[in-house]
Amino acid sequence: MKRVEYLLENFYFLENCNNLASLRNAIDTDVLKTKLTESMHPCLEVLSGIMHRLQLKKQSFKVFKPASDDAIHELWSVLLGIEKSLQMSDTTKKDVEKKTDLLAFMEHCCQTGHYTFQIKKCGKPNCKICK
């Protein structure tokens, strides 16, 4: 019951959202982002505790904190150094398949799996792809 009261108390400004567009506009505010992050914290702590106790082949799972906004913007500035025409809205394979510099970088420096993505530069000082 406390959880419902908390949500009603802290998300009162969503009451006036009559359609999806107004809901999206309300969600774009920093206040809502902060409130949602705060409200999800207890759930994330429980899930993190569960994951820490799990093991696969006698090795415990590791749980990492999500990237901060500053880290995301730092990564974005590096990506723009690789592919200048890249937009934050380019989120699908179709969006990036025409970005030749980015594709060359990903083929040269990245390893992907079903649940992983790794970036490993070759370390050569004169590499034109890694820069």
Side-chain angles (χ1 to χ4, degrees), residues 69-115:
D69 286 339
D70 292 336
I72 291 170
H73 289 295
E74 184 178 333
L75 176 63
W76 188 252
S77 66
V78 171
L79 288 173
L80 287 176
I82 295 166
E83 179 68 56
K84 292 181 183 8
S85 65
L86 194 63
Q87 300 291 320
M88 276 200 172
S89 60
D90 294 337
T91 57
T92 65
K93 186 176 181 179
K94 185 179 178 183
D95 292 336
V96 297
E97 64 188 8
K98 294 177 184 170
K99 314 287 186 195
T100 54
D101 292 338
L102 180 63
L103 291 175
F105 175 81
M106 289 181 69
E107 186 175 313
H108 178 71
C109 303
C110 301
Q111 295 177 345
T112 60
H114 287 290
Y115 304 105

Side-chain angles (χ1 to χ4, degrees), residues 9 11 13 21 25 35 54 61 97 103 105 124:
E9 184 179 302
F11 297 103
F13 52 92
N25 290 336
K35 297 277 187 189
L54 292 176
F61 283 84
E97 64 188 8
L103 291 175
F105 175 81
K124 297 176 185 172

Side-chain angles (χ1 to χ4, degrees), residues 2-127:
K2 286 182 181 180
R3 195 78 173 146
V4 172
E5 291 171 3
Y6 174 82
L7 291 172
L8 291 174
E9 184 179 302
N10 288 291
F11 297 103
Y12 60 89
F13 52 92
L14 295 178
E15 289 176 353
N16 297 328
C17 296
N18 297 332
N19 56 35
L20 198 54
S22 62
L23 183 62
R24 281 191 194 115
N25 290 336
I27 287 175
D28 283 340
T29 65
D30 288 333
V31 173
L32 181 61
K33 185 176 181 179
T34 304
K35 297 277 187 189
L36 285 174
T37 303
E38 289 173 3
S39 70
M40 289 175 21
H41 186 72
C43 298
L44 292 174
E45 289 296 317
V46 169
L47 289 172
S48 177
I50 292 169
M51 292 304 291
H52 278 291
R53 291 191 297 270
L54 292 176
Q55 290 186 346
L56 178 63
K57 297 182 182 179
K58 296 185 180 180
Q59 284 198 328
S60 297
F61 283 84
K62 294 180 182 177
V63 178
F64 299 97
K65 299 282 182 195
S68 66
D69 286 339
D70 292 336
I72 291 170
H73 289 295
E74 184 178 333
L75 176 63
W76 188 252
S77 66
V78 171
L79 288 173
L80 287 176
I82 295 166
E83 179 68 56
K84 292 181 183 8
S85 65
L86 194 63
Q87 300 291 320
M88 276 200 172
S89 60
D90 294 337
T91 57
T92 65
K93 186 176 181 179
K94 185 179 178 183
D95 292 336
V96 297
E97 64 188 8
K98 294 177 184 170
K99 314 287 186 195
T100 54
D101 292 338
L102 180 63
L103 291 175
F105 175 81
M106 289 181 69
E107 186 175 313
H108 178 71
C109 303
C110 301
Q111 295 177 345
T112 60
H114 287 290
Y115 304 105
T116 61
F117 179 79
Q118 296 177 339
I119 301 173
K120 293 185 178 183
K121 292 186 176 184
C122 65
K124 297 176 185 172
N126 58 353
C127 181

